[in-house]
């Protein structure tokens, strides 16, 4: 069976399925020996402790921001964590039935939920959701976000899921997963960005793949080029794909010859390539491809994986990143949480329209303690290299000033605490809201650098949800409105003598690189996996040709026409750029 989706990360993988049910409905019953009982109980108790700490933290935050009225729910959760019918009974269940803690808790909670369900009183009936919620949280602490990896053997597997969050994918990549295919998603969701960064084939937006996987032994082909997933292929197709997989490996070898090249255009203009990274492991790929440094370090993944992390823990992670980056510049973006990037482990109010709501800098300024912890950790890590700080989703001058005040406060505190830190860390902003793009002439005195986030700039300029597959066809980097904003940002940066980089996905897409060069940009930050192709296209074009291209794009009224022009341009300059 052939399923068509969106190919979001190139490559071909052939392997067996690894089915992921993130709704936690498939908790496995594992029989244990007498000698393992103590281990399971310890694991259970540790998870309870972590859940308790988490709930207390969230309660505190909610008290500050929402008042007593909304914080009572956390007391209910805290009481449940001491409830003998739930907690005591689970321990007894582990001992008496000799089963794993996750299963015991799940089983005991079902009994409790059944009791609540049978009552007539709607208030008591509602209690079942509190139990479900807290049980889900404890299980997540026990199973690393609900995955049960014990099911996989050593062989390479292809993950199949309804959806995968960025943190789930990061956890999977630490296992033996070589590709993934999911029902939901779009090209520029963060899960897709990570897939490209790590160079693993991925197809998303398949709508029904989870309905079609029968067993974990199904053979699957993931064709990230064509956005195709083939289930149980016949012999001929399978052989065909095994040949393709080999051809792809040869093509990659060719590209790798560009690894050490310092790239310039045919007419001699040097272009600086930086990397976008989410996890420290990617920095070694960045170094291998000779990037000039890290143009975007997305810190939110630290939180998505671990929840609210202490200053010392963040310091260690960031120090490791700075050291791995070998003295080259590293731009650390403060956490861009909210919107599609939400962690169950951090406070996040229910919002009707989270992309327009409490996201990025707005979230930071609201939950200031979490923000300050991060700012202090960055200043401490800055001692070890060339660190810069960047604020995401800035909408105007007010937020820049507020963020800078927080930095000042943190510096004072670090001084009082007598910690070792670097004081003068350059501060920059992401230009990714149209409101900021339209006033870049007013802010070039406020900050030390700009970085253009085209993913969000396009989303908010064109009013298109970047994760919605139904409107993905309208997502158009060459829309004249976008080109006009990009031109303005570049010119204002030039006039203000301020450094400007493009770090959205456009910067790493070979089709759009000539566009950015034509607009004037010379600093591009991209997923490390995009670097080699970027080097190839840059080394094949002249700036004058790119400028001509811009002029013709400006006259294009239809998306298809613009895309055709770009494809023709690429074909004329680098027909060997893509794998066919
Ligand atoms: C962007 O919006 O272009 C960007 C780089 O930020 P993110 O993709 O993390 O939102
Ligand atoms: Mg963004």
């Amino acid at each position: 069976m052939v399923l068509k989706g969106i190919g979001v990360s190139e490559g071909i993988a052939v392997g067996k399925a690894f089915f992921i049910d993130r709704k936690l409905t498939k908790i496995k019953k594992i029989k244990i020996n007498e000698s393992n009982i103590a281990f399971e109980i310890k694991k259970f108790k540790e998870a309870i402790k972590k859940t308790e700490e988490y709930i207390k933290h969230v309660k505190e935050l909610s008290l500050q921001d929402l008042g007593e009225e909304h914080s009572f729910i956390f007391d209910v959760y805290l009481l449940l964590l001491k409830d003998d019918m739930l907690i005591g009974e689970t321990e007894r269940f582990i001992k008496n039935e000799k089963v794993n803690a996750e299963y015991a808790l799940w089983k005991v909670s079902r009994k409790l939920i059944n009791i609540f369900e049978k009552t007539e009183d709607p208030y008591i009936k509602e209690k079942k959701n509190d139990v479900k919620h807290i049980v889900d949280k404890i299980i997540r602490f026990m199973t690393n976000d609900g995955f049960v990896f014990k099911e996989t053997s050593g062989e390479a597997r292809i993950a199949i899921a309804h959806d995968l969050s960025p943190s789930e994918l990061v956890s999977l990549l630490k296992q033996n997963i070589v590709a993934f295919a999911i029902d939901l998603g779009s090209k520029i969701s963060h899960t897709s960005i990570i897939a490209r960064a790590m160079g693993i084939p991925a197809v998303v937006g398949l709508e029904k793949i989870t309905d079609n996987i029968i067993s974990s032994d199904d053979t699957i082909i993931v064709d990230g080029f064509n956005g195709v997933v083939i289930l149980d292929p016949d012999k001929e197709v399978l052989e065909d794909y095994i040949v393709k997989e080999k051809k792809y490996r040869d093509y990659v070898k060719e590209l790798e010859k560009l690894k050490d090249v310092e790239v310039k255009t045919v007419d001699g203009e040097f272009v600086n390539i930086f990397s976008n990274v989410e996890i420290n492991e990617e920095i070694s790929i960045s170094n291998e491809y000779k990037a000039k440094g890290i143009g975007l370090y997305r810190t939110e993944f630290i939180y998505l994986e671990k929840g609210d992390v202490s200053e010392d823990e963040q310091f260690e992670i960031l120090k490791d990143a700075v050291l791995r980056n070998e003295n080259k510049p590293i731009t650390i973006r403060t956490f861009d949480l909210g919107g599609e990037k939400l962690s169950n482990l951090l406070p996040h109010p229910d919002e009707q329209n989270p992309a327009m709501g409490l996201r990025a800098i707005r979230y930071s300024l609201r939950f200031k303690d979490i923000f300050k912890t991060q700012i202090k950790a960055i200043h401490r890590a800055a001692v070890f290299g060339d660190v810069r700080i960047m604020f995401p989703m800035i909408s105007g001058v007010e937020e820049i000033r507020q963020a800078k005040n927080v930095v000042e406060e943190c510096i004072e505190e670090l001084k009082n605490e007598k910690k070792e830190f670097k004081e003068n860390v350059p501060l920059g902003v992401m230009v990714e809201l149209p409101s900021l793009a339209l006033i870049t002439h007013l802010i070039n005195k406020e900050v030390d650098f700009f970085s253009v986030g085209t993913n969000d700039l396009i989303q908010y300029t064109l009013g298109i949800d970047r994760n919605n597959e139904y409107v993905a066809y309208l997502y158009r980097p060459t829309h004249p409105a976008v080109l006009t904003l990009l031109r303005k940002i570049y010119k204002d940066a030039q006039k203000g003598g301020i450094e400007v980089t493009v770090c959205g996905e456009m910067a790493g897409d070979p089709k759009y690189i000539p566009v950015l060069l034509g607009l004037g940009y010379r600093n591009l930050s991209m997923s490390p996996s995009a670097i080699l192709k970027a080097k190839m296209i840059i080394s094949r074009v002249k700036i004058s040709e790119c400028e001509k291209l811009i002029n013709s794009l400006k006259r294009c009224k239809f998306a298809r026409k613009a895309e055709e022009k770009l494809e023709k341009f690429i074909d004329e300059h680098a027909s060997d750029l893509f794998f066919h």
Side-chain angles (χ1 to χ4, degrees):
M1 177 191 276
V2 178
L3 296 174
K4 182 88 185 102
I6 310 165
V8 293
S9 180
E10 290 182 352
I12 287 160
V14 182
K16 298 264 190 251
F18 174 55
F19 188 74
I20 295 159
D21 185 352
R22 66 194 298 227
K23 291 181 206 112
L24 286 175
T25 48
K26 283 191 184 162
I27 289 165
K28 265 198 145 183
K29 178 179 179 177
I30 301 170
K31 274 291 204 187
I32 57 168
N33 298 328
E34 189 77 37
S35 58
N36 286 334
I37 291 178
F39 173 81
E40 288 297 316
I41 291 185
K42 184 167 171 267
K43 179 175 84 181
F44 179 54
K45 284 191 168 156
E46 277 170 6
I48 299 222
K49 196 161 160 271
K50 283 187 192 158
T51 312
E52 192 177 321
E53 281 164 11
Y54 163 74
I55 301 283
K56 280 185 179 158
H57 173 68
V58 179
K59 184 187 163 190
E60 218 169 88
L61 291 169
S62 95
L63 266 174
Q64 284 164 14
D65 296 307
L66 305 168
E68 290 277 348
E69 185 195 341
H70 294 280
S71 68
F72 80 94
I73 182 66
F74 301 113
D75 294 326
V76 174
Y77 291 156
L78 290 171
L79 281 177
L80 273 173
L81 287 174
K82 296 195 173 8
D83 193 309
D84 188 60
M85 271 172 81
L86 183 67
I87 305 304
E89 189 57 28
T90 300
E91 279 189 45
R92 289 190 286 277
F93 200 93
I94 298 171
K95 276 185 210 153
N96 298 338
E97 303 295 322
K98 297 195 181 58
V99 289
N100 54 323
E102 299 89 325
Y103 178 75
L105 175 61
W106 180 79
K107 196 77 185 158
V108 169
S109 70
R110 291 303 109 173
K111 270 195 226 157
L112 216 53
I113 287 166
N114 282 342
I115 298 172
F116 288 136
E117 256 170 1
K118 282 191 191 121
T119 65
E120 294 297 321
D121 184 331
Y123 175 75
I124 297 182
K125 216 179 186 125
E126 188 51 36
K127 282 244 167 291
K128 71 169 197 251
N129 289 327
D130 298 338
V131 176
K132 275 187 185 163
H133 183 105
I134 204 78
V135 165
D136 181 75
K137 195 99 329 187
I138 303 169
I139 291 178
R140 279 178 195 278
F141 274 121
M142 284 196 284
T143 60
N144 188 17
D145 218 2
F147 291 127
V148 185
F149 287 122
K150 284 166 213 150
E151 280 184 20
T152 59
S153 59
E155 70 182 309
R157 292 270 179 169
I158 292 170
I160 305 294
H162 182 58
D163 194 11
L164 274 181
S165 72
S167 61
E168 286 164 344
L169 177 60
V170 170
S171 313
L172 279 172
L173 291 175
K174 292 186 180 139
Q175 309 294 317
N176 47 346
I177 296 298
V178 294
F180 71 86
I182 57 175
D183 292 335
L184 303 182
S186 82
K187 196 158 188 156
I188 45 153
S189 69
H190 281 86
T191 305
S192 303
I193 291 174
I194 299 180
R196 284 195 287 281
M198 302 309 282
I200 76 157
V203 179
V204 307
L206 285 153
E207 292 179 6
K208 286 190 168 44
I209 187 153
T210 44
D211 292 347
N212 287 292
I213 293 290
I214 308 208
S215 93
S216 276
D217 278 329
D218 285 356
T219 296
I220 298 181
I221 296 167
V222 173
D223 178 345
F225 291 106
N226 297 306
V228 163
V229 174
I230 305 170
L231 308 180
D232 255 336
D234 57 37
K235 196 166 161 270
E236 226 170 275
V237 175
L238 191 62
E239 281 170 3
D240 220 35
Y241 264 99
I242 290 172
V243 172
K244 264 195 197 161
E245 208 183 4
K246 157 135 195 0
K247 257 178 78 184
Y248 180 62
R249 269 188 253 121
D250 293 342
Y251 160 79
V252 171
K253 255 192 222 150
E254 240 350 85
L255 271 180
E256 285 187 340
K257 291 184 183 156
L258 291 165
K259 261 189 194 170
D260 296 328
V261 168
E262 179 145 9
V263 71
K264 57 178 185 214
T265 59
V266 175
D267 45 355
E269 278 275 334
F270 281 97
V271 177
N272 301 309
I273 295 186
F274 298 88
S275 295
N276 294 352
V277 300
E278 277 84 36
I279 46 179
N280 290 2
E281 285 76 12
E282 288 175 85
I283 299 175
S284 54
I285 315 175
S286 168
N287 290 337
E288 201 184 324
Y289 294 168
K290 301 284 182 295
K292 295 259 157 129
I294 308 299
L296 170 63
Y297 183 96
R298 288 184 167 103
T299 55
E300 52 275 15
F301 290 90
I302 301 173
Y303 298 83
L304 292 172
E305 248 203 303
K306 296 173 185 281
D308 191 5
V309 223
S310 72
E311 182 189 311
D312 283 345
E313 209 178 333
Q314 288 188 57
F315 164 65
E316 290 301 336
I317 297 169
L318 296 174
K319 177 183 161 188
D320 175 63
V322 173
L323 291 175
R324 282 178 195 240
N325 191 44
E326 300 166 352
N327 266 323
K328 292 176 289 219
I330 173 166
T331 302
I332 300 178
R333 181 175 76 180
T334 61
F335 55 82
D336 183 357
L337 291 164
E340 59 158 322
K341 290 177 276 192
L342 286 170
S343 167
N344 281 337
L345 305 170
L346 287 171
H348 54 90
D350 266 344
E351 293 179 283
Q352 285 222 329
N353 197 349
M356 300 280 210
L358 209 52
R359 197 192 143 180
I361 194 69
R362 304 164 186 186
Y363 188 102
S364 306
L365 293 171
R366 173 149 186 131
F367 297 107
K368 210 167 116 185
D369 284 346
I370 307 179
F371 190 38
K372 278 174 72 176
T373 305
Q374 178 175 53
I375 296 287
K376 286 161 87 173
I378 302 175
H379 277 81
R380 287 171 61 195
V383 170
F384 300 90
D386 184 0
V387 171
R388 294 117 200 260
I389 295 179
M390 175 157 78
F391 303 115
M393 285 275 291
I394 294 284
S395 64
V397 175
E398 203 175 342
E399 278 166 336
I400 300 176
R401 299 261 171 101
Q402 284 172 335
K404 282 164 111 178
N405 285 342
V406 173
V407 170
E408 288 302 313
E409 258 178 63
C410 289
I411 287 175
E412 280 316 301
E413 285 181 21
L414 284 166
K415 278 183 187 161
N416 292 336
E417 291 160 10
K418 305 214 175 341
K419 287 179 179 157
E420 195 189 9
F421 73 102
K422 186 171 170 191
E423 190 163 343
N424 293 315
V425 177
L427 301 177
V429 285
M430 294 279 295
V431 183
E432 53 183 344
L433 285 179
S435 62
L436 200 72
L438 287 164
I439 59 162
T440 37
H441 57 287
L442 295 179
I443 58 163
N444 53 24
K445 296 273 177 303
E446 299 279 337
V447 291
D448 299 307
F449 62 91
F450 296 160
S451 191
V452 189
T454 50
N455 306 339
D456 279 315
L457 187 63
I458 297 167
Q459 153 164 273
Y460 294 111
T461 303
L462 304 182
I464 292 157
D465 175 355
R466 60 193 265 187
N467 296 308
N468 183 336
E469 69 249 48
Y470 301 109
V471 290
Y473 71 100
L474 285 171
Y475 191 92
R476 194 183 151 197
T478 51
H479 190 294
V482 177
L483 292 180
T484 306
L485 288 179
L486 287 174
R487 183 80 186 135
K488 173 172 167 37
I489 300 164
Y490 175 76
K491 279 191 165 167
D492 288 343
Q494 284 292 98
K495 271 189 224 149
I498 195 169
E499 200 176 273
V500 61
T501 304
V502 182
C503 69
E505 290 294 286
M506 236 181 129
D509 187 332
K511 203 158 63 168
Y512 301 114
I513 287 174
V515 176
L516 295 172
L517 296 181
L519 289 167
Y521 292 95
R522 298 292 179 266
N523 297 324
L524 307 176
S525 191
M526 62 194 70
S527 159
S529 65
I531 292 178
L532 297 181
K533 270 188 237 151
K535 284 188 179 183
M536 186 188 266
I537 187 68
I538 293 166
S539 63
R540 303 276 182 87
V541 300
K542 284 188 191 156
I543 295 294
S544 55
E545 292 166 337
C546 297
E547 286 167 353
K548 256 188 46 217
L549 179 70
I550 295 292
N551 285 334
S552 78
L553 286 177
K554 275 198 206 143
R555 291 193 298 272
C556 265
K557 295 202 177 89
F558 299 99
R560 189 61 240 151
K561 270 260 171 302
E563 290 296 310
E564 274 167 21
K565 270 185 207 281
L566 289 178
E567 279 153 21
K568 192 163 161 260
F569 186 88
I570 296 292
D571 211 39
E572 282 166 7
H573 291 82
S575 59
D576 53 341
L577 181 64
F578 296 110
F579 175 73
H580 297 289

